[in-house]
């Protein structure tokens, strides 16, 4: 491994924006499809990989939800999470706060309990055997109605002790944070912290709504904040972390190439940013690869890398 990769690996890092369903590698997808007798429209790992060319977020989500259909049993969710944790260990991750999307599974008849048991059993093993601490964040799918989010919230109540925060993901444009103000209020009343994807493809108004209405403690992505000087000022003054995902932003065409990404500008402006992998099985790289490509193409210094990793630790929900 070259020196800089070893340096990045050695920095203690937290991953704060990782969809566990987005860590489903093509190899595991094939294996689970076979194990569970599920038909998928691919006959080889190569075919799956070749399908991973996206022109926007929705294009990706269509394939991502299709892939998640192979996850049926508790052991499937366990295997998925355990594979991610092994990769996380290799990359020098010491703490992870992972998203899961219960509705992706409950809509297909898989119980909430199956999903959360599989994930949390692997997280427990990861803490004991790999020393990786964790929190779990339950996301609502924003393309579905508010009522469905309320139903999902009710399903989560018996497992409340296992979930640190609620979040908001899926198709952003046309589904503003305000649509979920009431369910987030209920979640906060029950003691959950809040985060939301905002300003990935959606406008800066959505970031304001996430902050003001959903009272988010972190903004997921948030890269479009740079279009609004007042918003940048607010984010800095309130030290709100932004969980930036560089390779994701390239694969989903938010920026053309890493060298066009605004991460370095955000960092230099004083925003509290850090690097994350989002859906690494789909976007061509786990956390270390995200750091490395930013180092190479954004001319980051070692001090930038250190600062980014420190920001990730400071933004954890300890
Ligand atoms: N679900 C999984 N990855 C996502 C992303 N990058 N944006 C919104 N929803 C997602
Ligand atoms: Zn995401």
């Amino acid at each position: 491994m070259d020196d800089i990769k070893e340096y990045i690996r050695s920095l203690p890092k937290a991953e704060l924006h990782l969809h566990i369903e987005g860590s489903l590698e093509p190899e595991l997808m094939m294996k689970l499809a076979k194990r569970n007798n599920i038909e998928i429209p691919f006959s080889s790992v190569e075919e799956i990989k070749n399908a991973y060319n996206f022109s926007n977020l929705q294009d990706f989500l269509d394939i991502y939800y299709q892939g998640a259909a192979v996850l049926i049993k508790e052991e499937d969710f366990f295997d998925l999470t355990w594979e991610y944790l092994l990769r996380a260990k290799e990359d020098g991750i010491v703490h992870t706060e992972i998203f899961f999307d219960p509705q992706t599974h409950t809509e297909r008849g898989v119980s909430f309990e199956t999903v959360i048991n599989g994930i949390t059993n692997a997280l427990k093993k990861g803490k004991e055997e790999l020393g990786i601490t964790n929190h779990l964040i339950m996301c609502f799918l924003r393309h579905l109605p508010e009522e469905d989010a309320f139903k999902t919230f009710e399903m989560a109540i018996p497992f409340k002790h296992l979930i640190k925060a609620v979040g908001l993901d899926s198709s952003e444009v046309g589904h503003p944070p305000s649509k979920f103000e009431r369910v987030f209020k209920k979640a906060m009343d029950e003691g959950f912290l809040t985060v939301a994807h905002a300003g990935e493809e959606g406008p800066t108004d959505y970031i304001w709504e996430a902050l003001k209405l959903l009272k988010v403690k972190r903004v997921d992505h948030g890269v479009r904040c740079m279009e609004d000087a007042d918003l940048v000022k607010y984010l800095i003054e309130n030290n709100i972390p932004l969980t930036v995902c560089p390779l994701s932003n390239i694969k989903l065409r938010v920026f053309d190439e890493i060298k066009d990404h605004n991460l370095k500008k955000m960092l230099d402006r004083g925003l509290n940013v850090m690097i994350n992998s989002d859906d690494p099985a789909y976007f061509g790289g786990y956390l270390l690869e995200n750091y490395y490509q930013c180092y190479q193409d954004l001319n980051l210094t070692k001090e930038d890398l250190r600062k980014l990793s420190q920001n990730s630790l400071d933004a954890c929900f300890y």
Side-chain angles (χ1 to χ4, degrees), residues 17-19 99 169 197 200 220-221 245 278-279:
H17 186 151
L18 179 282
H19 302 263
F99 298 131
D169 65 3
H197 283 55
E200 177 185 16
D220 296 316
H221 292 294
C245 307
D278 206 6
D279 303 285

Side-chain angles (χ1 to χ4, degrees), residues 161-316:
H161 57 291
L162 300 173
I163 303 169
K164 187 74 177 176
V166 297
L168 193 60
D169 65 3
S170 193
S171 324
E172 187 180 9
V173 175
H175 302 285
S178 52
K179 178 175 165 186
F180 296 93
E181 184 178 0
R182 294 191 301 183
V183 71
F184 268 62
K185 165 87 173 60
K186 188 160 185 189
M188 283 184 276
D189 290 346
E190 290 278 353
F192 293 92
L193 299 175
T194 61
V195 297
H197 283 55
E200 177 185 16
E201 283 187 346
T204 53
D205 288 0
Y206 285 21
I207 304 178
W208 279 119
E209 283 191 10
L211 293 164
K212 299 287 183 181
L213 305 181
L214 308 187
K215 318 259 189 255
V216 295
K217 297 281 180 281
R218 299 192 296 249
V219 174
D220 296 316
H221 292 294
V223 288
R224 289 194 59 191
C225 73
M226 296 293 268
E227 296 167 21
D228 178 342
D230 290 339
L231 177 57
V232 169
K233 194 161 167 273
Y234 181 93
L235 291 165
I236 293 171
E237 280 174 5
N238 292 280
N239 196 29
I240 306 284
L242 303 165
T243 64
V244 175
C245 307
L247 283 177
S248 163
N249 292 153
I250 305 314
K251 288 285 181 193
L252 303 187
R253 313 268 184 97
V254 175
F255 299 95
D256 289 336
E257 297 179 56
I258 293 278
K259 68 178 171 45
D260 304 313
H261 199 286
N262 63 5
L263 174 79
K264 171 78 172 151
K265 289 193 190 80
M266 292 169 90
L267 188 66
D268 290 347
R269 180 69 184 78
L271 282 159
N272 185 355
V273 287
M274 91 294 297
I275 294 180
N276 303 273
S277 70
D278 206 6
D279 303 285
Y282 291 86
F283 299 151
Y286 285 75
L287 190 63
L288 194 147
E289 187 61 23
N290 272 270
Y291 270 80
Y292 182 65
Q293 292 202 22
C294 289
Y295 169 78
Q296 283 203 310
D297 292 356
L298 289 175
N299 298 317
L300 299 185
T301 62
K302 276 188 156 182
E303 176 50 25
D304 291 332
L305 295 171
R306 198 204 54 75
K307 175 80 177 148
L308 287 161
S309 63
Q310 187 60 48
N311 285 350
S312 77
L313 299 176
D314 294 343
C316 293

Side-chain angles (χ1 to χ4, degrees), residues 45-73:
V45 164
E46 282 63 43
E47 263 188 41
I48 301 178
K49 287 185 179 162
N50 288 338
Y52 292 176
N53 273 311
F54 314 113
S55 37
N56 54 38
L57 174 59
Q58 192 57 52
D59 215 21
F60 155 69
L61 290 170
D62 293 341
I63 287 213
Y64 163 85
Y65 294 130
Q66 189 181 62
V70 302
L71 298 160
I72 308 284
K73 302 199 185 88

